Amino acid sequence: TRTLTKILEEISTSLIMWLFYTLIPCLLLDGVALLPAPQNLSIQSTNMKHLLTWSPVIMAGETIHYSVEYQGEYESLFMSHIWIPSSRCSPTTVPECDVTDDITATVPYNLRVRAILGSQTSAWSILKPPFNRNSTILTPPGMEVTKDGFHLVVKLEDLGPQFEFLVAYWRREPGAKEHVKIVRSSGVPVHLETMEPAAVYCVKAQTFVKAIGRHSAFSQAECVKVQEETLPLALALFAFVGFMLILVVVPLSIWKMGRLLRYSCCPVVVLPDTLKVTNSPQKLISCRREDVEACVTTVLSSEELFRT
Amino acid sequence: MKAQRASLWLLGTAFLLSAAHARGLRRCLIAMDMRHLGESFQHIKGTIQAKDTFPNVTILSTSGTLHSIKPLDVCCVTKNLLAFYVDRVFKDHQELSPQILRKISSIANSFLYMQKVLQQCEQRLCHCGQEAANATRIIHDNYNQLEVRSAALKSLGELDVFLAWIDKNHQGTPAA
């Protein structure tokens, strides 16, 4: 019995020693700073883009990495030990994570983050309450209303494939009907209507996200006016004056051209006064004989003069 | 004469009600973004179907089980099949690859959402007739005949059949 008690004593002492040795490192570690878990987890969601942010963990001179994991309602209900690493932020060095591609169903999602430094990891910080994407803030869409001649054209902000647009347009006059057009592709100009001149047309739009069954508010209405069909006054005056000139100049030039043509092909010849014959032709012949005799006499006398 | 008129009137009302009900279900599921579900499945279809060790056996398509479902039974069968996947298939399947796990999670959570939508939408008219119950039983029996892991894998591989069936009966606005 003495040996038995001695053996028991030895066992207990060695047990105590063993416990003591294992506890020392734990006691010592209490004194050293453990890697703290990230704090102040929050999520901002606008137009179906979800951004998880947290306060950065600061350790002097060290680069802290973060790891983000998520768990849908299905996992939290039926397999709560399953957490899926985020597609973009496992790991990441910035204290934020775009979890848009991870939140793919309209159910509550649990999100958790922890800090990593070398082989050390912090405890997990979980986002409270769980995030459901149907709480996203939907803003009125950016819209560019233009007129292409008489065509009313609108170009909508590209918000991704989950967005549809309801475009409402109307003529700004009392009793005018509001038309609605559903646009499924964003970023591409869409023709709304062919406008009538001298009318003002107004357009407004809202988004619709089928996955969460919600609309945004309508954007501010933008109005465009079509140019008047009647010309400005100055232009009209010029046109009138020009027209009158043409009315006068054209007949005048036609008349002148006519006269020119007449002269060039069939001219009218007028006899000058000296050649005009007033007497009969018989008398003309008798006058000529008398003149010839007078002419001969004059010629003889000059010949005599030269002989002497 | 009066009896004839009355019975015709009743028939007409019944027809209108069933048409309205079928249309109501379509309106119900129109809120679903089916396109994303289909895309998620396409990513994993090849890998999942390649692992199927019983290619000559089917769980969903026995003698056109789904295609013979009448419009009145569509709501009940949709609910039952969603429950089949959520309560049995996804739980029985053990996925190790993170990429595939991500897609299966997306599909499972979307099915959970669809169950909630259906629950709110057609509370009054979604009762289960004999044919709907039969179709559901056939599918469960097919599943039970195989070993659990193989059955779950095969059912996952046949998701495209189920999604196409939902799409056909949902007949909402056509995909862009």
Side-chain angles (χ1 to χ4, degrees):
Chain A
T1 40
R2 207 174 256 180
T3 34
L4 198 66
T5 37
K6 253 207 162 162
I7 291 167
L8 280 169
E9 262 189 62
E10 280 208 44
I11 291 171
S12 58
T13 350
S14 56
L15 263 174
I16 290 166
M17 297 284 278
W18 182 81
L19 270 167
F20 189 63
Y21 284 131
T22 47
L23 276 172
I24 286 176
C26 293
L27 288 168
L28 274 177
L29 269 173
D30 246 350
V32 174
L34 285 167
L35 196 59
Q39 299 295 310
N40 305 324
L41 258 69
S42 74
I43 190 156
Q44 278 91 43
S45 179
T46 310
N47 288 332
M48 297 295 276
K49 292 263 184 282
H50 326 299
L51 191 70
L52 178 71
T53 53
W54 55 91
S55 300
V57 171
I58 312 285
M59 294 285 259
E62 306 279 8
T63 311
I64 304 283
H65 287 79
Y66 304 98
S67 181
V68 178
E69 290 182 351
Y70 68 92
Q71 174 184 77
E73 192 187 10
Y74 183 81
E75 284 80 34
S76 64
L77 285 174
F78 300 113
M79 29 181 85
S80 52
H81 60 284
I82 300 255
W83 286 86
I84 301 167
S86 162
S87 50
R88 290 195 199 181
C89 318
S90 241
T92 182
T93 47
V94 289
E96 64 174 39
C97 184
D98 182 354
V99 291
T100 305
D101 294 336
D102 299 321
I103 313 286
T104 51
T106 312
V107 291
Y109 273 79
N110 284 319
L111 292 154
R112 68 180 189 181
V113 191
R114 70 175 172 185
I116 305 168
L117 178 61
S119 56
Q120 269 191 71
T121 55
S122 72
W124 287 105
S125 273
I126 298 184
L127 177 73
K128 285 269 185 288
F131 170 70
N132 190 328
R133 67 182 187 176
N134 65 8
S135 62
T136 192
I137 297 169
L138 293 176
T139 62
M143 190 175 68
E144 199 185 302
V145 182
T146 49
K147 41 182 182 173
D148 183 1
F150 282 99
H151 298 289
L152 186 64
V153 173
V154 71
K155 191 171 167 188
L156 295 154
E157 191 185 348
D158 190 356
L159 291 166
Q162 294 182 310
F163 282 78
E164 283 180 5
F165 300 86
L166 263 81
V167 182
Y169 56 99
W170 63 96
R171 215 166 130 164
R172 199 166 69 184
E173 58 187 29
K177 199 179 123 185
E178 192 178 276
H179 305 270
V180 174
K181 189 170 182 140
I182 297 177
V183 177
R184 294 214 168 82
S185 54
S186 43
V188 179
V190 175
H191 173 262
L192 292 176
E193 195 174 41
T194 308
M195 302 185 277
E196 280 170 38
V200 180
Y201 286 79
C202 295
V203 186
K204 64 180 182 182
Q206 67 175 173
T207 62
F208 174 63
V209 180
K210 198 173 173 184
I212 61 176
R214 275 180 53 206
H215 296 260
S216 74
F218 268 107
S219 63
Q220 289 280 13
E222 270 185 48
C223 299
V224 288
K225 186 175 177 173
V226 191
Q227 273 291 46
E228 302 263 340
E229 212 174 56
T230 53
L231 299 165
L233 196 63
L235 202 62
L237 207 66
F238 276 125
F240 178 73
V241 166
F243 180 68
M244 291 310 288
L245 273 171
I246 289 168
L247 258 180
V248 166
V249 165
V250 167
L252 208 72
S253 48
I254 289 173
W255 180 66
K256 272 277 181 199
M257 285 299 290
R259 277 184 63 163
L260 207 74
L261 276 168
R262 234 180 327 145
Y263 283 139
S264 54
C265 89
C266 323
V268 175
V269 180
V270 179
L271 216 58
D273 288 334
T274 44
L275 292 176
K276 272 201 183 129
V277 176
T278 44
N279 304 328
S280 64
Q282 292 278 9
K283 229 182 172 183
L284 193 70
I285 292 166
S286 58
C287 272
R288 270 183 71 205
R289 215 180 276 140
E290 280 169 12
D291 281 329
V292 166
E293 280 178 9
C295 216
V296 166
T297 320
T298 331
V299 167
L300 274 171
S301 59
S302 63
E303 271 181 21
E304 277 177 355
L305 272 166
F306 275 114
R307 253 190 243 132
T308 49
Chain B
M1 191 61 187
K2 264 191 178 173
Q4 262 187 348
R5 203 183 289 172
S7 56
L8 268 172
W9 199 83
L10 273 168
L11 208 68
T13 321
F15 175 75
L16 276 169
L17 270 174
S18 65
H21 163 68
R23 220 179 51 242
L25 176 68
R26 288 179 202 150
R27 249 204 318 277
C28 218
L29 289 180
I30 274 170
M32 269 308 300
D33 185 11
M34 296 300 295
R35 188 187 43 91
H36 177 80
L37 264 179
E39 275 173 15
S40 295
F41 180 67
Q42 285 304 316
H43 274 111
I44 58 170
K45 180 176 171 173
T47 319
I48 297 280
Q49 289 181 349
K51 289 195 216 167
D52 185 6
T53 45
F54 299 96
N56 296 330
V57 181
T58 177
I59 294 183
L60 292 182
S61 308
T62 312
S63 41
T65 322
L66 284 181
H67 292 287
S68 59
I69 304 291
K70 297 194 182 57
L72 265 172
D73 292 327
V74 161
C75 179
C76 174
V77 173
T78 310
K79 270 192 174 174
N80 289 349
L81 278 181
L82 283 173
F84 167 68
Y85 273 95
V86 167
D87 297 332
R88 296 192 78 179
V89 177
F90 295 132
K91 281 190 206 172
D92 292 341
H93 179 77
Q94 309 265 298
E95 187 51 61
L96 300 167
S97 154
Q99 291 91 339
I100 298 187
L101 182 62
R102 200 166 276 140
K103 297 297 175 193
I104 292 178
S105 165
S106 176
I107 296 169
N109 282 292
S110 301
F111 276 18
L112 210 60
Y113 174 64
M114 280 166 76
Q115 282 184 311
K116 290 184 195 178
V117 167
L118 268 181
Q119 219 168 24
Q120 290 163 6
C121 206
E122 292 292 328
Q123 270 171 347
R124 292 171 292 116
L125 295 171
C126 200
H127 59 267
C128 287
Q130 192 57 45
E131 287 192 30
N134 281 347
T136 313
R137 194 178 36 81
I138 290 170
I139 289 168
H140 278 273
D141 286 346
N142 290 343
Y143 190 87
N144 293 332
Q145 278 175 20
L146 292 172
E147 185 265 329
V148 155
R149 298 273 176 269
S150 310
L153 190 74
K154 179 171 277 298
S155 304
L156 272 179
E158 290 184 6
L159 263 173
D160 51 356
V161 173
F162 183 38
L163 292 175
W165 182 81
I166 294 175
D167 220 13
K168 190 183 95 175
N169 285 282
H170 132 21
Q171 266 183 34
T173 46

